[in-house]
Amino acid sequence: MSTATTTEPLAKPGGRPGAADTAGAAAPLDLGELAGLRTIRTRHPWRWAAGLATVVVLAQFAHGLATNPGWDWATFRVFFSADTILRAVGRTVELTAYGTVLGFLLGAVVAAMRLSRSLILQTVAWGYVWVFRSIPLIVQLVFWFNLSYLYKRFGFGIPFGPTFGEFETVGVLGALGAAVLGLGLHQAAFAAEIIRGGVIAVDPGQREAAAALGVPRWRQAWRIVLPQAMRGILPSAANEVISLFKGTSVVYVMAIGELFYQVQVVYGRTGRVVPMLMVATVWYVLLTTVLSIGQYYVERYFARGADRTPPPTPLQRARALARGLRARTATAVATGGRS
Amino acid sequence: MTTLAEEPAAKEPAAEEAAAPRPAAGEPPAPPMVQVRGLWKSFGPNAVLRGVDLDVPAGSVTVVLGPSGSGKSTLLRSINHLEKVDRGFVAIDGELIGYRRSGDRLHELKEREVLRQRTHIGFVFQNFNLFPHLTVLENLTEAPVSALGRPKAEARARALELLERVGLAEKASAYPRQLSGGQQQRVAIARALALDPKVLLFDEPTSALDPELVGEVLDVIKDLAQAGTTMIVVTHEIGFAREVADTVVFMDGGVVVEQGPPREVLDEPRHERTRAFLAKVL
């Protein structure tokens, strides 16, 4: 009370008349008697209106999906799990896996070169990234596919010296090989920058502390810096994998039977473009979902120690929710029975 | 030369042995544990160290005071070769740091060899630099296992012993960020001790701490001092210097202005610069 009277003259010129008025007008406030009162929560009519409008639009779209014959769900159902499509999905997954593994392995090497203390390695790595980020993926793919024009034969030996073994380029680098090579080399340039970004974001004090403890250099990188860098690397890396996964559709130019190529083959034959595109779309969404879930758990693993209390997994969260609901229904049933 | 009895367990047998580790009067004095000669270091046009000499006898505590920018931290970082100096040399326990002499030539050591030398020099950072993704125990066992090749079980047992000593035995499986600043710094001290270093360097170990947490860290350092650990402590805690230091070194402008027992340097400073600094901080 005494504070209210002292602040009042100060508050008025201060430009908060509302606060001053209530402080002045209200009877002495007894906080103790508030305990028994019911609290009415603030209402948000506009929040509800906006939410409702959005739901209506979505419902309209869903209704269209279900009723518009153009979507042709019958065809969708037939082809969604057809053998040719499943095989094509497998090929897409395969290309993604190879591209990711090759891309990130090579990317890690390029990043390490870029971060090394050797000026030559740094420059070469910079050049690699420069070249492969500059060339459109599709150009590169076609180039690798046609490598046999440039080099008929491919041999191992001493540089500028004798050759020990030779292969026909066409035999070694088929369409699939060219696709994997192209995707991998392309991916490596981006992966290298993502990895480098993660590494330079780690507090330099971490490496310094490891060095002060005499921890060997490779172990400083592998045990101290990289695990911490992973936190920064993972979200972008997952982006890259997902974009590579959809990007594999570019290799249709080489007539490889991946998902998008196969779908085109089918609609070229049947003319049912929309349902076949939906087949591809739903598969891409499904597999991206799997990758996203995987990403969540991998990120969680590398976040250990980052928070004071690690957040619960969705599974733990669901279980806690279920437990809470069960408890609530149990009490509801009990009290309902009594009243 | 290994007068380092840095824990009670190690001290007892040392005390029992008739051949005392400390040189008796009359014997030639042992060479200092840490010898620093003529260190010069510039960052760009800015000369941070301008010919620093320092001797730290084994088992003694040296506290380095001085205004910020006086080169204290750089001196400390030069001692374990985290900072490569432009001129001058450092030797720990008679071993030249960062170079090998053969005839009249000095060869720079490979990084691997410098890393091995650093295992003899414990370093405690101002902002702890604990590894946040490793548990407290893993922080303590990492270097003994990977740098010294100690068996994991042995490193673990030693780590738990050290955590006990800094009063954090129950935090072994916690992650650093789950601890208070004072606890983190105590873990960092235990981590440095896990290598059984010949000398411990502290770079403003309490400057990043809330005032009420400073005491617990200083207490740990005092315990180490009583156990005979050779230490160089850069700090602004004058009270601590007075209580614990054998030698107080006052640095300004990249040189040692004066050094001596705390009573001399802190109470009857001979140099105007020391007096001015003490007047400001006391």
Side-chain angles (χ1 to χ4, degrees):
Chain A
M1 191 54 223
S2 61
T3 50
T5 43
T6 50
T7 54
E8 197 189 336
L10 285 174
K12 262 179 183 160
R16 279 198 303 151
D21 284 352
T22 34
L29 188 56
D30 179 6
L31 291 179
E33 71 177 13
L34 298 180
L37 302 182
R38 218 170 72 122
T39 313
I40 310 296
R41 302 186 65 176
T42 322
R43 300 195 191 282
H44 302 281
W46 286 110
R47 205 184 283 175
W48 279 101
L52 199 67
T54 314
V55 169
V56 168
V57 172
L58 282 177
Q60 219 173 359
F61 179 67
H63 180 255
L65 275 182
T67 56
N68 186 335
W71 292 104
D72 194 359
W73 293 109
T75 310
F76 173 88
R77 233 168 285 133
V78 170
F79 279 99
F80 183 69
S81 54
D83 275 351
T84 49
I85 295 296
L86 288 183
R87 238 177 292 129
V89 169
R91 184 42 61 87
T92 292
V93 170
E94 201 181 358
L95 280 170
T96 310
Y98 290 152
T100 302
V101 170
L102 182 64
F104 276 85
L105 280 183
L106 188 58
V109 172
V110 174
M113 286 165 66
R114 192 73 206 278
L115 292 165
S116 79
R117 294 173 201 173
S118 153
L119 190 61
I120 299 175
L121 293 186
Q122 283 173 27
T123 313
V124 170
W126 185 88
Y128 179 89
V129 171
W130 172 64
V131 168
F132 282 90
R133 280 202 308 200
S134 311
I135 305 174
L137 177 57
I138 194 159
V139 172
Q140 214 203 119
L141 287 171
V142 176
F143 175 81
W144 290 117
F145 193 47
N146 294 302
L147 188 68
S148 54
Y149 280 118
L150 219 51
Y151 299 99
K152 297 268 185 270
R153 304 174 68 75
F154 183 69
F156 288 105
I158 296 167
F160 305 107
T163 309
F164 302 135
E166 279 196 328
F167 307 91
E168 291 284 331
T169 309
V170 182
V172 176
L173 204 63
L176 190 66
V180 168
L181 190 65
L183 289 171
L185 291 176
H186 177 79
Q187 201 53 51
F190 291 90
E193 286 297 275
I194 289 171
I195 293 169
R196 192 172 67 91
V199 169
I200 58 180
V202 174
D203 177 6
Q206 290 292 310
R207 219 192 64 76
E208 202 164 64
L213 286 164
V215 174
R217 200 159 137 76
W218 65 269
R219 180 113 181 147
Q220 289 175 21
W222 197 250
R223 171 84 163 156
I224 305 300
V225 176
L226 266 183
Q228 298 187 60
M230 284 305 276
R231 292 206 72 205
I233 292 171
L234 276 169
S236 319
N239 257 358
E240 283 299 305
V241 174
I242 287 169
S243 103
L244 173 66
F245 163 65
K246 290 177 295 175
T248 54
S249 54
V250 174
V251 308
Y252 83 92
V253 293
M254 297 152 87
I256 292 173
E258 50 74 52
L259 185 54
F260 187 59
Y261 177 81
Q262 207 56 46
V263 161
Q264 280 182 306
V265 168
V266 174
Y267 72 59
R269 186 153 44 81
T270 62
R272 296 179 193 275
V273 178
V274 171
M276 288 318 293
L277 284 180
M278 283 311 286
V279 166
T281 305
V282 171
W283 271 116
Y284 282 124
V285 169
L286 273 179
L287 292 172
T288 303
T289 309
V290 172
L291 286 173
S292 304
I293 293 171
Q295 176 192 358
Y296 176 87
Y297 281 97
V298 177
E299 271 184 30
R300 204 184 134 77
Y301 172 77
F302 281 104
R304 67 195 192 283
D307 296 315
R308 291 198 137 195
T309 44
T313 62
L315 214 65
Q316 287 168 337
R317 213 171 283 172
R319 260 191 237 123
L321 193 70
R323 232 178 292 131
L325 280 179
R326 229 178 297 136
R328 207 177 304 163
T329 41
T331 47
V333 169
T335 51
R338 235 176 282 135
S339 65
Chain B
M1 193 54 239
T2 45
T3 30
L4 178 78
E6 45 99 0
E7 59 175 320
K11 185 150 192 150
E12 281 161 39
E16 283 163 24
E17 281 170 31
R22 279 167 202 276
E27 279 177 44
M33 178 60 85
V34 181
Q35 288 172 282
V36 173
R37 287 291 170 277
L39 285 195
W40 280 80
K41 172 75 185 176
S42 301
F43 295 108
N46 185 16
V48 180
L49 298 179
R50 303 157 168 272
V52 174
D53 294 322
L54 190 66
D55 278 340
V56 177
S60 75
V61 179
T62 299
V63 170
V64 184
L65 301 175
S68 78
S70 57
K72 310 180 298 278
S73 289
T74 308
L75 168 65
L76 218 54
R77 293 164 56 81
S78 307
I79 291 176
N80 76 344
H81 222 257
L82 274 180
E83 214 73 74
K84 216 169 138 186
V85 291
D86 305 327
R87 248 189 293 161
F89 297 102
V90 174
I92 304 284
D93 198 9
E95 185 181 355
L96 188 59
I97 299 297
Y99 301 90
R100 189 192 323 104
R101 179 170 180 179
S102 64
D104 55 355
R105 283 160 198 250
L106 284 175
H107 297 273
E108 272 187 16
L109 289 182
K110 293 238 167 70
E111 184 175 2
R112 174 201 295 264
E113 295 161 304
V114 175
L115 286 170
R116 187 192 57 74
Q117 290 186 324
R118 287 208 190 108
T119 61
H120 300 308
I121 310 167
F123 200 101
V124 176
F125 295 87
Q126 180 177 350
N127 45 7
F128 331 135
N129 283 340
L130 291 175
F131 307 130
H133 61 302
L134 304 181
T135 63
V136 165
L137 190 70
E138 287 168 335
N139 264 278
L140 264 67
T141 55
E142 173 59 32
V145 172
S146 73
L148 298 182
R150 284 195 193 148
K152 266 197 184 138
E154 191 191 313
R156 230 184 104 87
R158 174 86 176 116
L160 289 171
E161 213 177 285
L162 287 166
L163 285 177
E164 185 81 49
R165 193 163 161 208
V166 298
L168 291 170
E170 79 285 6
K171 298 291 185 188
S173 55
Y175 284 99
R177 290 208 179 112
Q178 294 167 333
L179 307 180
S180 73
Q183 290 173 330
Q184 289 190 46
Q185 192 60 301
R186 279 146 68 199
V187 171
I189 294 171
R191 181 175 71 173
L193 288 171
L195 290 165
D196 299 312
K198 295 177 177 174
V199 54
L200 263 183
L201 312 178
F202 292 85
D203 188 6
E204 303 199 19
T206 58
S207 296
L209 297 177
D210 291 341
E212 80 267 25
L213 301 178
V214 169
E216 63 185 73
V217 171
L218 293 184
D219 285 345
V220 169
I221 302 176
K222 277 180 217 163
D223 283 349
L224 292 173
Q226 264 151 26
T229 313
T230 313
M231 296 192 280
I232 304 178
V233 186
V234 169
T235 185
H236 294 293
E237 301 284 335
I238 306 288
F240 169 82
R242 194 187 300 277
E243 191 182 344
V244 181
D246 297 303
T247 310
V248 171
V249 172
F250 177 73
M251 284 183 72
D252 194 9
V255 294
V256 173
V257 176
E258 69 180 295
Q259 57 176 312
R263 259 172 296 104
E264 283 177 22
V265 178
L266 297 178
D267 298 336
E268 297 147 23
R270 275 167 293 145
H271 286 262
E272 186 46 44
R273 277 193 281 178
T274 319
R275 264 192 291 265
F277 173 75
L278 290 172
K280 258 185 257 167
V281 293
L282 282 178

